Amino acid sequence: MVEHWVQLAYLVAATLFILSLRWMNEVRTARLGNWAGSIGMAIAVVATLGKPEIHSFLWIGVALVIGVAIGTPMALLMPMTAVPQRTALSHAFGALAAGLVGTAEYYLRGRTLGAGATAILCAEVLLGFLTFTGSLLAFGKLHEILPTRPILYPGRNFVSLAVLALAILSAFWLASAPTPHGILFGFFIVLSLLFGVLLVLPIGGADMPTVISILNAYAGLSASFMGFLLNNKLLILAGALDGSSGLILSIQMCKAMNRSFTNVLFGAVGHAVETAAPHRDGRSIQGYTPQEASTVFEGARAVVVVPGYGMAAAQAQHVVKELTDRLSSRGVDVKFGIHPVAGRMPGHMNVLLAEADVSYDRLVEMEQINPLFPETDVVIIVGANDITNPAARTRPDSPLYGMPILEVDKAKTILFIKRSMATGFAGVDNDLFYLSKTMMVFGDAKKVLNELIAAL
């Protein structure tokens, strides 16, 4: 009788998970989708704890206390600007859980598992542990504990693929062996952990949105394989939803950068190849003070704000909101141009602007905002570099070439707020710096915007 109630609860949870993904497709219903997913997960956890085969809650309680002790500070103390890092850590913890469950199953039930079940277990452990170390490395790059540029070494792709091939061969051996091989399985775990490091190490910060979504897909697939192993239908469904949504998002990220999976994973884009200079090809950068730059808003009727990682790093989203409110009060039509890979994770700019209570109606995606730039009086670029670089259209030798960008160079005036003349993560000098209609204002975005507001 209890099992029937558990399965019914799983059905309700599964329905909420599906609705959650559906509602998160729309900005207006995203909050409802978040609540649906959270409630669905709570129902799933409570139902699982009610299963009759659970005889003791001691270690479950210990794990719960540890999880709460780690998760609560992550939620309360990490600022919204650190959402990418927090997401990477969440992926790491979830993947570690999947890997540890698979490891426990092998050492506890290895003698009773057939070849098929062992193969599924190995796939789950491989994906879980490589996602764990890959996500930790992504966290280090996002938090700038590690260099955000690609870390390269000779023969890196050969080494990575060799480690993966060795891990797969070990998995075949484990699946075909008549008895468990504890030492070989331990070696398999080490290879899985190592491959996660080698996978993310040569990937630059500019590709972190795609890396995060790919790791999300890996974690989901690992959970789905775990569901097959434990005969848990809800885990299979939830993992499949997570894995497929992560894969679709990864495809969308690659499309937004005009890149392939192989290029993202093995291309090492982000190695600095150029250096911005005050003068280039007879052109020079025009630097302005915030007070001088504020004059461009006199008579402006249409303004587009393009946020980037510089806004996140300066935690300037609230000041951006204050500036746009000030302009709106003067009758200026203000919109935000959102590039799909701006920042360090999918939807990074949307999250930050939502925290600052920027109206959803003002957030306009790249395809819709690009036709509006020729009629835009002023574009304010807040720390966005590669996603606005015209080299993506004009320079075939550039690593950005072919990438869809926000066509801000078509606006009447460009106000570029930037900390320094450093290039973006793609290592390409931005042609916008040298346009006669570009006003460069150097400094911390938050400080510059506050001075702009004061000048207005």
Side-chain angles (χ1 to χ4, degrees), residues 274-280 282-288 381-391 395 400 408-409 414-425 427-442:
E274 296 179 351
T275 303
H279 304 277
R280 194 183 75 182
R283 299 176 297 172
S284 60
I285 291 176
Q286 301 296 320
Y288 294 83
I381 302 174
V382 188
N385 203 331
D386 293 335
I387 60 171
T388 62
N389 195 337
R395 296 171 58 186
L400 292 175
V408 296
D409 56 313
I414 302 167
L415 178 57
F416 209 129
I417 301 172
K418 203 173 184 301
R419 285 178 291 184
S420 68
M421 288 174 55
T423 60
F425 278 105
V428 181
D429 196 10
N430 196 331
D431 292 343
L432 284 179
F433 298 170
Y434 307 94
L435 297 181
S436 59
K437 61 182 176 181
T438 299
M439 305 178 72
M440 300 294 297
V441 183
F442 296 104

Side-chain angles (χ1 to χ4, degrees), residues 20-32:
S20 174
L21 285 178
R22 173 66 185 87
W23 286 331
M24 283 198 212
N25 279 331
E26 300 289 338
V27 174
R28 296 181 184 280
T29 56
R31 185 169 296 177
L32 179 61

Side-chain angles (χ1 to χ4, degrees), residues 205-266:
D207 286 330
M208 279 303 115
T210 309
V211 171
I212 286 179
S213 58
I214 290 174
L215 292 173
N216 178 61
Y218 290 162
L221 289 174
S222 180
S224 190
F225 284 132
M226 190 201 307
F228 281 106
L229 192 66
L230 301 177
N231 193 28
N232 188 310
K233 297 180 179 62
L234 180 62
L235 198 53
I236 295 172
L237 175 64
L241 288 173
D242 195 16
S244 58
S245 61
L247 178 62
I248 292 170
L249 187 57
S250 301
I251 293 172
Q252 291 177 336
M253 293 295 102
C254 288
K255 182 179 178 182
M257 296 186 295
N258 196 31
R259 306 262 301 283
S260 64
F261 273 126
T262 54
N263 185 256
V264 169
L265 295 178
F266 304 112

Side-chain angles (χ1 to χ4, degrees), residues 47-348:
T48 302
L49 293 176
K51 292 174 76 72
E53 53 261 45
I54 298 179
H55 302 293
S56 173
F57 290 92
L58 175 61
W59 290 109
I60 294 175
V62 171
L64 181 64
V65 170
I66 294 173
V68 170
I70 295 173
T72 301
M74 284 177 58
L76 297 179
L77 300 181
M78 295 184 76
M80 289 297 291
T81 48
V83 166
Q85 295 94 304
R86 190 170 64 193
T87 302
L89 278 181
S90 297
H91 287 166
F93 290 139
L96 177 62
L100 290 176
V101 169
T103 301
E105 286 293 307
Y106 184 81
Y107 284 109
L108 292 174
R109 296 201 297 132
R111 295 184 180 277
T112 63
L113 295 174
T118 303
I120 291 174
L121 183 148
C122 288
E124 181 248 320
V125 170
L126 174 64
L127 288 169
F129 281 127
L130 77 85
T131 303
F132 170 61
T133 51
S135 296
L136 286 182
L137 213 64
F139 167 80
K141 284 176 173 279
L142 290 166
H143 209 59
E144 299 186 7
I145 299 172
L146 298 173
T148 55
R149 60 175 176 77
I151 300 175
L152 309 178
Y153 54 92
R156 63 186 183 279
N157 291 338
F158 173 79
V159 173
S160 299
L161 293 176
V163 170
L164 177 61
L166 196 56
I168 293 173
L169 286 174
S170 301
F172 274 113
W173 190 302
L174 290 166
S176 60
T179 57
H181 286 272
I183 295 177
L184 180 59
F185 189 78
F187 179 63
F188 172 70
I189 291 174
V190 171
L191 291 173
S192 302
L193 293 168
L194 178 60
F195 180 69
V197 174
L198 296 175
L199 183 68
V200 179
L201 201 64
I203 301 177
D207 286 330
M208 279 303 115
T210 309
V211 171
I212 286 179
S213 58
I214 290 174
L215 292 173
N216 178 61
Y218 290 162
L221 289 174
S222 180
S224 190
F225 284 132
M226 190 201 307
F228 281 106
L229 192 66
L230 301 177
N231 193 28
N232 188 310
K233 297 180 179 62
L234 180 62
L235 198 53
I236 295 172
L237 175 64
L241 288 173
D242 195 16
S244 58
S245 61
L247 178 62
I248 292 170
L249 187 57
S250 301
I251 293 172
Q252 291 177 336
M253 293 295 102
C254 288
K255 182 179 178 182
M257 296 186 295
N258 196 31
R259 306 262 301 283
S260 64
F261 273 126
T262 54
N263 185 256
V264 169
L265 295 178
F266 304 112
V269 171
H271 183 58
V273 295
E274 296 179 351
T275 303
H279 304 277
R280 194 183 75 182
D281 299 331
R283 299 176 297 172
S284 60
I285 291 176
Q286 301 296 320
Y288 294 83
T289 66
Q291 291 73 24
E292 292 171 335
S294 67
T295 60
V296 301
F297 298 110
E298 296 176 2
R301 288 292 173 263
V303 171
V304 174
V305 179
V306 176
Y309 182 67
M311 184 188 77
Q315 300 187 33
Q317 62 270 28
H318 294 281
V319 187
V320 168
K321 171 66 161 52
E322 186 179 349
L323 173 63
T324 56
D325 286 347
R326 181 72 61 87
L327 293 173
S328 296
S329 68
R330 297 168 58 169
V332 179
D333 178 25
V334 181
K335 293 182 174 64
F336 288 80
I338 306 298
H339 193 283
V341 295
R344 295 295 176 270
M345 64 173 288
H348 192 186

